Amino acid sequence: MELDVLPIPLTWVLLAVLPVLFYLYAVRPMQALKKLGVSGPTPLPLIGNLHQIMKTGIYNMEAQVDAIATYGNVYGVFNGRVPILTISDPEMMREIFVKQFHKFTNRAPEGMALDVKPQARMLTQLVDEDWKNVRSTITPAFSGGKLKQMTEAMNSCADLLVGNIGKFGEKGESFDTKELTGAFTTDVIARTAFGLDVDSQRNPQDPFVVYSKKAFNFNFLNPLIWLFFLFPSIMKPILEKLNYNFVAKDVTDFFYNILEQIMGMRKNEQNHGRVDFMQLMMDAHRDGEADDDDSQETKVQGTKKPLTKDDIVANSFLFFLAGYETTATAMAFTLYNLALHQDAQDKAREEINQVMDNRELVDYEAVHNMPYLDMCINENLRMYSPAASNARVTGEEVKLKWLTIPKNTLVTIPILGIHHDPKRWPEPSKFIPERFTKEEREKRDPFDWQPFGAGPRNCIGMRLALMELKVGLAKVLMKYRIVTGPDTDIPLKIMKYKQFPTPENGIRLRAELLHPGSD
């Protein structure tokens, strides 16, 4: 008799408790932004605004501009149950990136970053003192002195790029611009960062090119990503146990093997005299004789922990992939804009020819005497920023003007929305290099242009990327006029589910030899 009646009260208890649990887990968190006085699109229980994010994608200029116009310079969305503040107010950005940077040092909230190889030891994911240590060790690799020593290698790779473009020019055929610029940046990074003679420009099927491309085949619709967003406390330990990092295993295996081979070959070298990125990190590792145990307390240069082997491999992997994709994309889009605007191309070429008169190499000094080319690159980076947004997380409660942000809150900066905001940039869809004259820059808030981020945690490879861009573009423009063809998309159709600006049909351009009959 007791067994017969037992399920009845238990059922009623469950029916009463489940709605309460659902409310506490799936509904109440959606009040967080409203309590802060922040508006935004209406979230749904549990999934927040994920359904809208799936619709708009990642790289979507119009969506970011519309959101700023609709909700203002401060608004919020929910990535599952996680609230995200989106801020484009210049004064607040100055506080985030510079004045109160010590409260915004890190990039991801606690519990939302996977502790898996290789990404856990990448500079982009490291936190607090750990980040400062690795950043300060790597920074000297991008000094002016180091860049000067990379000049010859960059020029050699740029000459191959010019030769490849010339093969298409001789036949009057169009070429996939990103394919050629990607091979160029692959060769430059391989030589200047790791001392490898990778000739991917002559061999498009070089493993470095193949695996670099594959690394960016990120599936935004991967159900594991959405499960992680919805149930981070459950999915995080599962994914970490499986060492699942959203990058194809064969890609990480390839780069790990290559980088470990380089380290092995250099380990016993005497008087190596190398000054590249890899050697700088290996020296920091060797000086402390650190192993892969993060508890190692041996100090380097008096105050810093030595880099572990995982630090070296992870950040070499990061540097190669980030440098390959962003610089190749920026160069391809710059050539596209110059092909559409022949007056700007002629002006840039005239400046380049003047600077290069009686010079053989496009060296460190030369690229710093090409202000108009610099303006063209900067305007292109405004139109097609390498990243759609930037992120920081509060290390403690922070007061920004009228807004009080709780600890461990994710804050994003909508770079595309800022770069295409008509209030900041009149006629934002137009390519106007003159926006970056000295006079125009002085009129404008510096936080209105953010392709490399800002403050102490900006893009560490910015100077190298800009030099690489200028050397490659200068070499090409000195010999060829870049023009559009019948298969050039005008305007370009950008794929919204990609992490970086990616045209649906590529960037097809043609090259015309400036001085027919010359060698």
Side-chain angles (χ1 to χ4, degrees), residues 166 187 463:
D187 288 356
R463 297 176 69 189

Side-chain angles (χ1 to χ4, degrees), residues 9-10 44 52 57 90 131 154 165 170 179 220 223 229 231 242 285 289 311 361 364 403 431 505:
L10 181 60
L44 296 177
Q52 295 162 327
W131 165 75
M154 285 190 188
I165 289 176
E170 291 172 4
E179 289 288 325
F220 182 66
F229 287 152
F231 308 104
L242 299 173
H285 170 65
E289 296 185 349
D311 290 335
L361 293 178
Y364 185 80
L403 178 64
F431 178 75
N505 302 309

Side-chain angles (χ1 to χ4, degrees), residues 228-239:
F228 179 59
F229 287 152
L230 292 173
F231 308 104
S233 60
I234 297 174
M235 294 301 297
K236 178 177 165 64
I238 294 174
L239 295 175

Side-chain angles (χ1 to χ4, degrees), residues 2-17:
E2 290 179 359
L3 291 175
D4 290 337
V5 299
L6 181 60
I8 297 174
L10 181 60
T11 301
W12 284 107
V13 169
L14 290 174
L15 288 174
V17 170

Side-chain angles (χ1 to χ4, degrees), residues 6 89 123 144 151 196 203 212 230 234 269 273 275 314 341 362 426:
L6 181 60
D89 178 275
L123 194 61
T151 297
L196 296 175
N203 178 20
S212 295
L230 292 173
I234 297 174
E269 286 185 0
V275 293
H341 302 85
V362 184

Side-chain angles (χ1 to χ4, degrees), residues 32 72 81 101 160 210 233 257 275 316 379 434 475-476 502 511:
R81 298 166 60 249
F101 170 74
L160 288 175
V210 174
S233 60
N257 291 335
V275 293
S316 296
E379 173 67 344
E434 288 72 22
K475 284 280 189 175
V476 171
T502 308

Side-chain angles (χ1 to χ4, degrees), residues 163-219:
N164 276 343
I165 289 176
K167 293 176 184 177
F168 290 94
E170 291 172 4
K171 301 175 183 177
E173 297 176 351
S174 66
F175 52 86
D176 186 322
T177 312
K178 173 67 182 302
E179 289 288 325
L180 300 187
T181 59
F184 164 68
T185 59
T186 297
D187 288 356
V188 169
I189 295 172
R191 293 190 192 186
T192 60
F194 308 117
L196 296 175
D197 190 10
V198 176
D199 193 359
S200 60
Q201 298 195 70
R202 290 195 181 100
N203 178 20
Q205 295 305 310
D206 185 283
F208 269 88
V209 179
V210 174
Y211 283 106
S212 295
K213 290 178 181 177
K214 189 171 182 179
F216 290 98
N217 290 335
F218 182 79
N219 184 7

Side-chain angles (χ1 to χ4, degrees), residues 479 513 515-519:
K479 190 161 186 177
L513 188 64
H515 306 290
S518 64
D519 55 17

